[in-house]
Amino acid sequence: QEDTSNLGVPYCHYNGPDNAYSVADVKYTSSGVTANLTFNKSNLRAYEKSTLPISTLRLEVKYHNNHMLQFKIYDYANKRYEVPVPLNLPKSPGSTVENRLYDVTVQNTPFGIQVRRRSTGTVIWDSQLPTFTFSDMFIQISTRLASQYLYGFGETEHTMFRHDMNWHTWGMFTRDQPPGYKLNSYGFQPFYMGLEEDGNAHGVLLLNSNAMDVTFQPTPALTYRTTGGILDFYMVLGPTPELVVQEYTALVGRPVMPPYWALGFQLCRYGYENDTEIAKLVEAMKAARIPYDVQYADIDYMERQLDFTLNPRFTGLPALINKIQEEGMRFILILDPAISGNETDYPAFTRGLEKDVFIKWPNTNDIIFAKVWPDLPNVEVNDTLDWETQVELYRAYVAFPDFFRNSTTEWWTREITEVYTNPQNASKSLKFDGLWIDMNEPASFVNGAVGGCRNQQLNFPPYIPQLGSRSEGLVFKTLCMEGQQYLPDGSPVSHYDVHNLYGWAQTKPTLDALRNITKERGIVVTRSTYPSSGRWSGHWLGDNTAAWNQLDKSIIGMMEFSLFGISYTGADICGFFGDSEYELCARWMELGAFYPYSRNHNGKGAKRQDPVAWNSTFEEISRKVLNIRYTLLPYLYTLMYEANAHGSTVVRPLFHEFVEDKRTWEIYRQFLWGPALLISPVLEQGAVAVNAYLPNARWYDYHTGEYIGFRGQFRNLSSPLEHINLHIRGGYILAQQSPANTTFYSRKNMLALTVALNDSQHAEGQLYWDDGVRIDAYEDGVYLLTSFTANRNILEIKVLHHGYADPNNLKFTQIKILGVTSNVQEVTVSQNGEAIQSPHVASYNREKQVLKITQLELELGKDYTLQWS
């Protein structure tokens, strides 16, 4: 009978452990396992062809190295679609029997795979379950899980960081879908991290790009269902959460290194009237002395939203961009993938036709036309009409470039180049510094195509995953699934298989074009992502809403993208949809000052919400918190380098540092920058205190330098409207720099160190420094890496890599040492063991236990030792 007490619980279940597959020819070798899977049921008449179980399956398990393995199930008799995303796999397996962290067994009847962590015996994968089935358009596999603690899978807005295992299903399929509960959004991230009961961690990637969903059950267990391709799993064994991310990014690719300026504050909105409005905003921000580096233009700058064009209302934009660049600022433009086919003179379309870049109906030469932003020529748009009517009356027919093809990359690069250097009219050239790629799920305002799609089975497959608007099929707000695409080697693939790779395929060509044109590192920010997108871009969390409940969701989103290997992330500060209000926007500015990607962005028709849109108190709040951000940029830039070089996280969940403390496993309303800075924002309306957890370490108040005197507990910390609680962890040294209006000027300012001693009077840190814009500065060794080590009363400054000399003759002029327990009379500075002349002044505050040394002249790029007594 049906149990309605808990709606999530299935009302039917498998009555035994058997699945329909058994195993033959199992071969264990030193580098893996192989086996054949055969289908045992004789009654096949019950199945349609698309869901008929395949009986020619092979299992391959590869032990790639001591902490990573792969298991793959595919059809050995008939080639099937496999994801064309390259992974960094060892040429030959590099594991040894003695040092492997895992053991694998293949179970026979019914078929299953079991992976066990060798050091503890914990089973971290166990798929010997009745759900396993593998057909052309429906593949299902379940596994028992090691605990109730599982994180990841995206892109979907989640209410907590840890998944609720109580019968929840989450669909994954890239879609132009603003964040909402159980709604599949812009990206496709089939990766999770699991914690084991003892705090060990592992990660699992399913490399599959078809429409998919995952169901959690309280056993705890997990069921994957996908609608095509093969099963290709990669598992990393940590054993710490931070190592899981490092091992995962070693596999999919390390996060991109942003230029230094991209860590500055940024302003944008959809709905700027003209370039004068932007120019006034720039001047107002300057007058208010609020740090800001980057200004944007959304699709307003284009003529009728056509890519690569300039709206007559923005004829002053080229000059404005040049002007703000001369003042040390940067400019980013938006580009959408859809190209209008309704123009008489539009090179982007005609050259696209010549190069055959657009997605077509299969077995024809006809382009699939949909509708997105571009308007038809010669129409007067009436904004008061309902949306569907506007789309029907005003929107042009658009074609979608197939970004897998080399010809498309060449075409895309040329079109972008001609925006930067306009060959017809040099005064129209827009000298952008970065590119923002939107609508690349790909998004469409009609379902499938103008006039509908032609292949019912692909657009409404036998199993439609649990997606938003499920009754509309896979075509909802996107392209027809039968769209014909071609991989770089010329092999044909249907949009059905590669839909979730559309944004991924656009991202690298966009960064390559940007770097090629500007000859600088630049930044690309993309809306749609897939595993490895982080190698080339950052990501904003999409079209959020000006609402209090969005604040903690933005922290969850950033922490999830940390797991996914995308470290340059953040949400639209103050909200995209709707009117923001004063207190919400002030608190959001304080939180957003600690987004790696810190951008205040607003929707069309909403009232202004930039920092100079409110009053002088709001300006003061913004200036104060952004000055803190800019002061800490050398530390943030060093974290970005560590992510790029070693794959560590920038926005870091607390349990990555304190996994032995189970209370941290649930925390998502606070976060860390790297290991050392704890951010505890106010997320509730009217609150003047925040209930924050301070894990088991020595913590100092960032603002006062005082040791807080408690640990391992929740405390209500005072937090009036102009205040955000920040704590520095004992044991760490943070490099800092005096702030300025832009990073162009702050990079010339004096450096400082904050040394936070731990219980045993020790601390360490690093500073990565380069010119801030050079492409591959780290790979080419054109950088400076300095380490700082404090032990009791000695601080060592040591250059580890000397490949760059800053032209501004930077010096450390101030060092603050927190947690100095006894009075200090004297500080000496030495080089190579010899004391040197130094004009510094030392002051010790006994009450706060802070030693402050000012007027130092320690040159960046040289070794020093400081001693205090």
Side-chain angles (χ1 to χ4, degrees), residues 204-241:
V204 178
L205 168 68
L206 170 54
L207 189 72
N208 177 292
S209 64
N210 288 82
M212 183 189 298
D213 62 29
V214 291
T215 299
F216 304 121
Q217 65 186 70
T219 312
L222 163 61
T223 297
Y224 292 88
R225 295 178 204 88
T226 182
T227 53
I230 64 166
L231 294 176
D232 192 8
F233 287 97
Y234 296 80
M235 184 181 280
V236 292
L237 273 90
T240 66

Side-chain angles (χ1 to χ4, degrees), residues 531-556:
S532 81
S533 287
R535 291 174 61 179
W536 306 292
S537 73
H539 170 69
W540 86 106
L541 295 169
D543 295 342
N544 62 5
T545 300
W548 285 94
N549 68 7
Q550 296 283 308
L551 292 176
D552 63 350
K553 294 197 173 90
S554 73
I555 300 174
I556 296 165

Side-chain angles (χ1 to χ4, degrees), residues 244 390 726:
V244 166
Q390 287 190 51
L726 303 170

Side-chain angles (χ1 to χ4, degrees), residues 245-318:
V245 177
Q246 290 176 23
E247 290 158 7
Y248 178 56
T249 55
L251 174 68
V252 297
R254 303 292 198 203
V256 72
M257 181 71 184
Y260 198 88
W261 57 260
L263 302 183
F265 179 64
Q266 317 190 18
L267 278 182
C268 184
R269 80 161 301 159
Y270 174 29
Y272 287 124
E273 269 307 304
N274 47 40
D275 53 75
T276 315
E277 186 180 349
I278 299 177
K280 283 181 178 160
L281 176 61
V282 171
E283 292 310 309
M285 286 288 286
K286 258 195 310 204
R289 304 191 322 283
I290 297 170
Y292 121 92
D293 266 76
V294 186
Q295 178 60 49
Y296 283 68
D298 205 323
I299 55 176
D300 317 289
Y301 82 89
M302 303 172 186
E303 186 172 358
R304 293 180 287 110
Q305 299 85 247
L306 297 165
D307 268 351
F308 320 119
T309 64
L310 186 61
N311 189 313
R313 295 200 317 273
F314 286 80
T315 45
L317 188 59

